[in-house]
Amino acid sequence: MSTALQRYLSETPAELCNLLVIDDEESNLKAISRTFRRTKYQVFTATSAKEGLELLTQHDFQVVLSDFRMPDIDGGTLVKNIKQCFPNIISMILTGYADFDAAVDVMNSGAAYKFLTKPWNNQLLIENVEQAFKEYHQRLLKMSKEKLNAQYIKPDRIRLDSTIKFLLDQEAQFALASVIISDISLHDQYWAKRGEQQLLGLESVINNIQACLPNNCEIFEVDVDQVLIIIPESECDTELHNKITLLSGALSACSQNDLNIPKLQCNLSYALAPFSDMDTQQLLHSIRNLPEQDFHESKHHGQKPCVVKLDAIYVAKKKRKKTIQNSIQQAINSDQFSLYFQPKVRLSDGMVETAEVLMRWQHSSLGWVSPVEFISLSELDGQIEKIGSWLLKNSINQLIGLQKQYGNNIKLAINVSPRQLQNNRLVEELTYLLGKTGLNPASLELEITEGCIIDDLTQTSEILWKLKKLGVNIAIDDFGSGYTSFAYLTKLPVDVLKLDKILIDDLGINSDVSEMVQSVIELCKKMQIEVVAEGVEDERQVKILRDFDCDYIQGYVYSKPVAKPEFEKTLINQPFKVADKAN
C-alpha cells in the first residue's frame, strides 16, 4: 500500500464491528443477540424504527439489520432513510415470504444490500452479516482510493487530456491505444528481491512499445499499470488492428525465457477518433474499466492476443447488455417472462409424462431475447437468483394445473443455476412452495450442470442432499460437455443423467463416442440412474439410443420447446413414434 494511502486511511476511525438490529418483537431481538454473543460483533437493539434512528445518531454503526413489518415505519422506508442520512451504512432487511415482493423492490432501489428470510438459520445469518461488514470496508477502501486519485493525478494524464482535445479540435485522424499490465507488482517484486538492476514492469513495457511502434506515436504513462498511446492513423483499420496486436509479441519479451520470472499479462484495447459519440472522459473510463470477460470473448473469437476495439458496435453491445440487466426485475414484476416446455419421450413406449421447463422473454423494446443471453448476464450480476425464484414458483403453479387436467403422473424438470446452490435459499423456497401448494415433490426434477459439481463438490453435495430429503428428483445436466466422472455421481443423490448434445451428435459417426455412450448407459442402469439423451435430431440417433436401452430422448426429432397449449396437445396425442413422424 502506498504511503499516501496509508496516511489517508490512518485518518479514518479504527475498524468497528457495530451491528444495529431493529425489530418490534423482543423475542427476535433476544434470539439474534444470543446468536452473535460469541462473535466479534457488538449488537445494539431497537424495538422501533424511531428508536433505531436515534441510536444511529449516537453511535458509529457499519451494518443495520431491520425487520420489514413494524408499527411505526416499515423496514423499507427505514432503510431508505438510513441510505439518505447515513450513506456509508450497509442495511439489510429481515422479512417473511409474505413481504418478498416489497422487500425486493426496496433492494432494487439500492437502499438495501440484501434481504434475509424468516425463520432464519443462525449460521447463515452470521455469514450474511460478515459479508455485509466486508462490503462496508470494501466501499470505504474504494472511497479512499477515489479520493486519492483525485488528489494525485500523474502529469502525463494532464498532458494526454490536452493532446486529445487538440487533435479532436483539429479533426485529426488518430487512434488511442491502451496497454494495461495485470499483476505488475509481482514482476516488480521479483526483481526487487533479487536486488538486480533491471527495468521494472512498466518501464520495460514502454521501452518495448517504443521499439515496436513508429516514432510518431506518443506514449503516456497515466497509471502505475497503464500506458496510453496516441497513434497517428494513416493506414486502414485492419492494418491498425494488426499493428496493435503485434505489440503483444514485443511485450512478451519483458518476461524473457526464465520460467521463474512472473510473466507480464497485458490487455490491449483501442478506439478510433472521434470515439463513437463518447467524450474523452467516458472513453478513458471505459478503457480503464474494461471487464476481463471482454478480453476472454475477444480470444474466443480467434484473436490472439486479446484485443478489444471500442467502436460503435462495441458500444451498442454494451448498451444492449445494460438494458437487459436493468430490465430483468421489471420483466419479473410485469410477467414478461413466459414458460415453454420441451417434452421428454420414454423410448420403451413413446409416452410423454415429463418435460423440461424453459424460459422465454419478449422484451418491450428489444423483442425476443435469447435465454443464453439473459441467463449468462444474470449469472454475472447475481440476478439469476431472482430469475430462479420466478421460474421455480411459476413452474410449480403450471405443474399443478397440468396434473389437474392430465393426471398426477405429469412431471416437470427445472434448471437450477450454480448460484442457487451456494446457499440454503433454494431449499427454503422449495420447502415453502411445497408446503403452500401441497405438490408431490416427486413430481419435480431439478437439473444442475456438471460444472456445479466441479466448482464446489462439498457445498453442492450438502445442498443436493437437503433437496433430496424434500423428495424432489436430482438430474445432472449436460453430462459429457465437461469433466464429471462417475466417482462424483456416487457421492451425490442423482436420479437422472442427461447426456449432452455434443455426444449425441457423434452417435453412429464416431465409434469411440458411441461406445462411451453405451457404457455410460449401462453403468447408470447398474446405479439405478435414468438416462435422458438431449439434442436428439434424427431417427438414426433414436434407433441407436433405443438399442443402447436409453430411457428417454429429448430433442427436435420429437419437439422443440413449445408453449403450454402445444405441450398439452402432446399429452393428448400419444404415444410418439419416430417412424410415423418420418412418414
Side-chain angles (χ1 to χ4, degrees):
M1 185 181 296
S2 68
T3 304
L5 183 56
Q6 285 178 327
R7 183 172 67 253
Y8 176 78
L9 292 179
S10 67
E11 298 171 0
T12 63
E15 178 177 331
L16 298 175
C17 296
N18 292 338
L19 169 66
L20 175 59
V21 182
I22 306 171
D23 197 308
D24 60 325
E25 294 187 21
E26 289 281 358
S27 58
N28 287 343
L29 294 176
K30 290 179 180 179
I32 293 175
S33 296
R34 285 196 300 271
T35 299
F36 287 92
R37 184 172 297 165
R38 295 181 179 178
T39 67
K40 65 180 180 180
Y41 305 110
Q42 184 175 357
V43 178
F44 294 74
T45 61
T47 56
S48 67
K50 181 180 179 181
E51 183 182 351
L53 289 171
E54 290 178 357
L55 283 172
L56 286 169
T57 63
Q58 299 169 9
H59 303 276
D60 289 327
F61 289 102
Q62 294 74 51
V63 176
V64 172
L65 177 62
S66 173
D67 184 27
F68 191 81
R69 290 192 176 185
M70 292 185 292
D72 53 347
I73 302 175
D74 67 80
T77 303
L78 172 63
V79 298
K80 289 179 180 178
N81 289 341
I82 293 174
K83 181 70 175 178
Q84 184 176 3
C85 299
F86 308 93
N88 293 333
I89 289 178
I90 306 295
S91 296
M92 297 192 294
I93 293 177
L94 191 61
T95 177
Y97 276 100
D99 303 311
F100 183 86
D101 292 337
V104 171
D105 178 65
V106 174
M107 190 172 73
N108 288 333
S109 72
Y113 167 65
K114 187 178 290 188
F115 69 88
L116 312 175
T117 56
K118 291 181 180 179
W120 64 83
N121 174 283
N122 286 341
Q123 183 57 40
L124 190 60
L125 180 62
I126 293 174
E127 291 174 2
N128 278 286
V129 167
E130 287 177 349
Q131 291 174 6
F133 274 93
K134 288 180 181 178
E135 177 69 16
Y136 171 84
H137 290 293
Q138 286 174 357
R139 291 183 185 180
L140 187 66
L141 182 60
K142 182 181 179 181
M143 290 172 57
S144 303
K145 290 181 177 179
E146 288 174 350
K147 182 176 179 180
L148 282 172
N149 288 338
Q151 293 176 349
Y152 301 96
I153 299 177
K154 286 198 169 193
D156 260 18
R157 174 56 193 272
I158 299 173
R159 189 168 63 91
L160 171 74
D161 289 344
S162 61
T163 303
I164 290 178
K165 184 179 184 305
F166 172 79
L167 292 173
L168 290 175
D169 289 343
Q170 298 296 315
E171 298 184 354
Q173 290 186 328
F174 69 97
L176 179 66
S178 165
V179 180
I180 296 178
I181 308 93
S182 58
D183 296 330
I184 193 171
S185 60
L186 297 177
H187 186 272
D188 291 350
Q189 289 171 13
Y190 173 82
W191 291 109
K193 288 180 180 178
R194 291 188 56 161
E196 298 183 13
Q197 292 295 322
Q198 174 73 21
L199 285 177
L200 298 182
L202 199 61
E203 295 172 291
S204 296
V205 168
I206 292 173
N207 276 5
N208 279 272
I209 291 174
Q210 289 172 334
C212 184
L213 292 179
N215 293 331
N216 61 350
C217 296
E218 194 163 359
I219 300 172
F220 302 85
E221 184 182 336
V222 296
D223 209 337
V224 294
D225 62 348
Q226 184 184 20
V227 172
L228 289 171
I229 313 157
I230 290 181
I231 305 173
E233 201 259 305
S234 57
E235 57 268 291
C236 69
D237 188 15
T238 302
E239 291 175 346
L240 175 64
H241 187 92
N242 292 337
K243 179 182 290 186
I244 294 173
T245 56
L246 285 174
L247 273 176
S248 179
L251 297 179
S252 65
C254 298
S255 296
Q256 301 181 11
N257 296 320
D258 188 342
L259 295 178
N260 296 318
I261 299 175
K263 299 296 185 290
L264 290 177
Q265 300 296 327
C266 300
N267 288 336
L268 293 90
S269 58
Y270 72 100
L272 298 176
F275 309 138
S276 302
D277 298 327
M278 287 188 289
D279 63 35
T280 302
Q281 299 309 313
Q282 288 175 325
L283 175 66
L284 294 176
H285 177 78
S286 296
I287 288 176
R288 174 73 256 191
N289 295 283
L290 280 172
E292 199 68 32
Q293 182 194 14
D294 286 2
F295 293 100
H296 292 323
E297 288 178 359
S298 170
K299 189 172 184 179
H300 291 328
H301 290 122
Q303 298 175 4
K304 294 184 180 180
C306 308
V307 175
V308 173
K309 179 183 178 183
L310 285 84
D311 56 7
I313 296 174
Y314 176 87
V315 172
K317 286 181 178 178
K318 279 294 181 184
K319 287 182 178 178
R320 178 180 174 86
K321 287 181 179 180
K322 196 69 175 175
T323 299
I324 291 172
Q325 288 174 316
N326 291 341
S327 302
I328 287 176
Q329 184 61 52
Q330 182 184 355
I332 292 174
N333 295 340
S334 58
D335 286 329
Q336 291 180 24
F337 290 120
S338 58
L339 297 182
Y340 274 52
F341 304 81
Q342 187 168 33
K344 298 180 184 180
V345 181
R346 191 164 56 219
L347 273 177
S348 61
D349 57 10
M351 297 298 290
V352 173
E353 293 180 340
T354 183
E356 179 181 354
V357 184
L358 300 164
M359 293 182 68
R360 295 293 183 264
W361 183 13
Q362 187 167 23
H363 192 277
S364 56
S365 60
L366 301 177
W368 287 102
V369 180
S370 164
V372 174
E373 187 175 16
F374 73 78
I375 292 294
S376 61
L377 289 175
S378 64
E379 286 275 10
L380 292 175
D381 65 8
Q383 293 192 92
I384 189 64
E385 291 193 59
K386 303 173 191 175
I387 291 178
S389 297
W390 185 94
L391 175 61
L392 189 64
K393 176 183 176 181
N394 285 272
S395 297
I396 288 176
N397 289 338
Q398 294 284 355
L399 178 55
I400 290 172
L402 289 169
Q403 288 185 344
K404 288 179 180 178
Q405 187 75 21
Y406 303 101
N408 292 331
N409 290 333
I410 304 300
K411 300 178 180 179
L412 290 181
I414 304 170
N415 289 286
V416 175
S417 76
R419 276 183 176 264
Q420 289 177 282
L421 297 173
Q422 292 177 1
N423 54 55
N424 285 305
R425 183 178 169 188
L426 175 62
V427 179
E428 294 166 355
E429 283 183 322
L430 194 54
T431 301
Y432 170 77
L433 291 171
L434 290 173
K436 179 181 178 181
T437 61
L439 178 72
N440 180 1
S443 302
L444 287 179
E445 183 180 296
L446 302 182
E447 295 188 2
I448 66 168
T449 60
E450 61 173 345
C452 295
I453 302 172
I454 298 168
D455 291 341
D456 191 342
L457 177 60
T458 303
Q459 174 71 13
T460 302
S461 177
E462 179 184 341
I463 299 298
L464 290 184
W465 278 108
K466 289 180 180 179
L467 293 169
K468 185 62 181 175
K469 287 180 181 179
L470 293 178
V472 300
N473 295 305
I474 305 297
I476 302 298
D477 198 10
D478 301 332
F479 187 88
S481 62
Y483 305 97
T484 304
S485 71
F486 275 89
Y488 288 120
L489 301 184
T490 59
K491 301 176 182 179
L492 300 172
V494 179
D495 302 290
V496 179
L497 189 75
K498 300 190 69 176
L499 299 175
D500 190 79
K501 186 180 185 298
I502 194 171
L503 297 178
I504 305 306
D505 287 344
D506 282 347
L507 280 180
I509 300 173
N510 186 320
S511 59
D512 291 336
V513 171
S514 298
E515 289 177 9
M516 184 179 74
V517 169
Q518 186 175 16
S519 299
V520 168
I521 293 173
E522 290 173 354
L523 282 170
C524 284
K525 294 290 183 184
K526 294 178 182 178
M527 299 171 67
Q528 297 184 323
I529 296 175
E530 291 185 334
V531 179
V532 179
E534 291 185 285
V536 182
E537 295 184 350
D538 58 54
E539 183 180 350
R540 173 185 56 82
Q541 294 168 342
V542 174
K543 184 179 183 306
I544 294 172
L545 290 165
R546 183 181 285 116
D547 292 340
F548 289 169
D549 200 20
C550 182
D551 297 297
Y552 294 89
I553 60 169
Q554 177 183 344
Y556 279 33
V557 69
Y558 178 71
S559 172
K560 63 182 181 181
V562 294
K564 186 181 177 183
E566 290 298 313
F567 177 58
E568 290 182 287
K569 290 179 182 179
T570 296
L571 296 176
I572 296 171
N573 301 319
Q574 299 204 61
F576 164 66
K577 295 180 180 178
V578 175
D580 291 344
K581 185 175 181 179
N583 293 330

